[in-house]
């Protein structure tokens, strides 16, 4: 059995039920980190409609949250979901957006002991491109 993530009639992803359920639960678990809705509709008859604009804003906010931290455990917990979600954003023809809001939460996750996670070039864009390309090969439509 499998489920469909789609924008209108366009299928972006067709994962197994178990993978789909974990993806949905992960989205809802990460939503409080952004304060935004996920853009993922309910699963009805094995189909989930994605509001691409809302989903893209949600994923963009998750990437920003990731980038505000150098905590390797937070990064590890977020990476798989973000990379998977980026494939859906790309397949939907959207691009990440940068928030115009000023970050006023006043906190930053910091790794206290051990080396901080460093990404090539000092940024994460290359890492996301690499991860999402690798994930896309394993994500049937």
């Amino acid at each position: 059995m499998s489920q469909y993530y789609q924008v209108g009639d366009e299928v972006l992803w067709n994962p197994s039920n178990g993978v789909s359920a974990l993806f949905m639960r992960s989205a809802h678990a990460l939503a409080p980190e952004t304060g935004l809705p996920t853009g993922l509709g309910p699963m009805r008859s094995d189909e989930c409609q994605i509001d691409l604009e809302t989903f893209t804003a949600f994923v963009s906010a998750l990437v920003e949250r990731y980038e505000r931290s150098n905590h390797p455990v937070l990064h590890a917990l977020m990476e798989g979901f973000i990379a998977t979600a980026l494939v859906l954003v790309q397949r939907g023809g959207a691009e990440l957006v940068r928030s115009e809001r000023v970050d006023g939460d006043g906190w930053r996750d910091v790794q206290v002991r051990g080396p901080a996670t460093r990404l090539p070039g000092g940024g994460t864009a290359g890492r996301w491109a690499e991860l999402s390309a690798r994930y896309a090969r394993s994500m049937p439509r």
Side-chain angles (χ1 to χ4, degrees):
M1 296 287 299
S2 62
Q3 298 182 323
Y4 297 87
Y5 288 81
Q6 42 194 82
V7 174
D9 291 332
E10 183 181 359
V11 175
L12 304 182
W13 187 29
N14 179 228
S16 68
N17 289 357
V19 171
S20 174
L22 182 57
F23 179 78
M24 280 289 224
R25 288 192 308 269
S26 297
H28 293 295
L30 289 167
E33 293 295 318
T34 68
L36 298 173
T38 66
L40 297 172
M43 190 61 69
R44 292 194 178 121
S45 301
D46 290 328
E47 294 180 1
C48 171
Q49 281 295 322
I50 299 173
D51 177 324
L52 191 58
E53 184 176 333
T54 303
F55 184 69
T56 300
F58 170 65
V59 175
S60 296
L62 283 175
V63 169
E64 288 179 9
R65 174 69 180 96
Y66 179 100
E67 290 177 347
R68 286 194 320 261
S69 175
N70 74 345
H71 198 290
V73 175
L74 179 74
H75 284 182
L77 292 169
M78 295 178 78
E79 272 184 359
F81 179 84
I82 291 173
T84 303
L86 284 172
V87 174
L88 299 181
V89 168
Q90 292 165 352
R91 286 180 178 175
E95 292 183 16
L96 293 186
V97 294
R98 284 290 180 198
S99 172
E100 293 181 19
R101 65 184 164 81
V102 175
D103 183 18
D105 65 9
W107 53 279
R108 178 175 170 84
D109 297 300
V110 177
Q111 174 65 25
V112 178
R113 289 191 291 175
T117 302
R118 303 302 271 167
L119 299 174
T124 59
R127 176 77 174 141
W128 292 129
E130 173 191 324
L131 281 175
S132 64
R134 185 175 55 171
Y135 281 38
R137 291 188 290 273
S138 301
M139 293 174 64
R141 290 185 188 217

